[in-house]
Structures are given as C-alpha cells and as structure tokens.
Amino acid sequence: MIQLKFTLNGDRVETWVKGQEMLLDILRDNFNLPGTREGCGLGECGACTVLVNGASVNSCLFPALEVEGKIVETIESLADAGKFHPLQQAFLDNGASQCGFCTPGMIMSAKAFIDSYPGRPAAVSEAEIKQALAGNLCRCTGYFQIIAAVKAAMQEQD
Ligand code: FES
Ligand code: FES
C-alpha cells in the first residue's frame, strides 16, 4: 500500500492505495462518495467523470496515485449548505435528469467546460456544449434537455 495525499472537495485528505487502484475506486470505497458512478469502466460513458485540477477526467481509468498533491472535485462538492449549484438547479428545472445515472458525470463535465469557457457564457452555442459533453453518454434524455440545462446555467452566469 502507498500513502496518498491530495485535496478532495476542499479538504486535505490522506489515504492508502494499492498501486494499480483507480481514482473511481478510492472515491467510492475509501471516501464513501458514491455520487461518482461506474458505468462502462472502460473510458467510454463518462459516468465516472470528476475534476482533477479543474479538468474533467474519467476516474475509472485515472490512476489514483496521479492525484498526489492535486485538487479533486466530485459531484458531492457542488451543493453549498443545502443549496444546489446553478448547474444542478438547471438540470432539475429542465428535466435533464431522468434515471440520473449519467447526471453526476454530465454535470462535472459541464462544470469543467463552463469554468474554462473563454467568452461570454450567454453566447455559448449548442455545438460547443455538444462537443464539451461528447464523452458523456445518456440513455434516457436524448440530450436535448441536458443541452438546454447547460445553456440555461451559462446564461444565468452572464
Ligand atoms: S465508467 Fe468511466 S467512462 Fe464509463
Ligand atoms: S438520465 Fe438516465 S442515463 Fe442519463
């Protein structure tokens, strides 16, 4: 076992990991954060998306040891004192979450996109949102409501 220290959802944390463990496994098993989902386990569905130093990654394929000294954010970090993050509220308002399995990963990919968006958020195009969420699959919504939710959250920011 190897000791690992990093910042998780705003807190400095330490844990012990096996050399081959993936970030997804330690988030769920060592830190009891079940919001990050395991879908394909192959880097194809995006259900396991979290942010590492602000960039979205597929945590099912991201070696846990690579977060040493870094900042990791999961869906559990978004709500503030019981109040939804604007993206969470926009998903709710636009019916963008149905079974909900893809939702945490979608929202984390959307957050990375919004946080690094170079222009005025309200000017975002549907094509840009689609490209940003291309690695996240949803079997329920047909994506229309998800794109609408991200657009609404960005318009609110502007
Ligand atoms: S579970 Fe990680 S990409 Fe599907
Ligand atoms: S809401 Fe069911 S997979 Fe997206």
Side-chain angles (χ1 to χ4, degrees):
M1 301 286 271
I2 303 166
Q3 191 175 30
L4 180 64
K5 298 180 184 181
F6 62 105
T7 299
L8 176 58
N9 296 340
D11 295 322
R12 289 281 301 156
V13 296
E14 297 180 21
T15 190
W16 292 88
V17 301
K18 298 184 197 113
Q20 72 279 16
E21 274 186 298
M22 294 297 152
L23 179 56
L24 173 64
D25 301 318
I26 69 159
L27 291 173
R28 293 179 63 91
D29 298 341
N30 298 24
F31 295 101
N32 195 26
L33 293 172
T36 306
R37 313 281 197 218
E38 178 163 16
C40 65
L42 298 169
E44 291 173 359
C45 74
C48 63
T49 303
V50 301
L51 307 190
V52 176
N53 284 357
S56 61
V57 304
N58 288 327
S59 62
C60 70
L61 293 184
F62 199 89
L65 288 174
E66 287 193 21
V67 302
E68 173 70 33
K70 294 183 178 163
I71 297 170
V72 177
E73 297 167 75
T74 72
I75 189 71
E76 286 88 351
S77 70
L78 263 56
D80 186 14
K83 188 171 182 293
F84 281 147
H85 182 280
L87 264 171
Q88 292 171 306
Q89 190 62 52
F91 268 61
L92 188 63
D93 295 343
N94 287 274
S97 181
Q98 292 184 14
C99 82
F101 191 82
C102 71
T103 307
M106 283 285 183
I107 289 179
M108 296 314 284
S109 287
K111 183 174 188 300
F113 171 62
I114 292 174
D115 289 350
S116 65
Y117 192 70
R120 288 189 60 210
V124 70
S125 69
E126 277 193 24
E128 288 175 301
I129 297 172
K130 281 183 187 169
Q131 188 177 357
L133 300 181
N136 293 78
L137 305 183
C138 176
R139 301 182 73 166
C140 304
T141 64
Y143 301 98
F144 179 80
Q145 297 98 321
I146 291 171
I147 292 163
V150 175
K151 199 166 175 51
M154 293 182 78
Q155 283 171 339
E156 195 180 310
Q157 260 198 3
D158 211 14

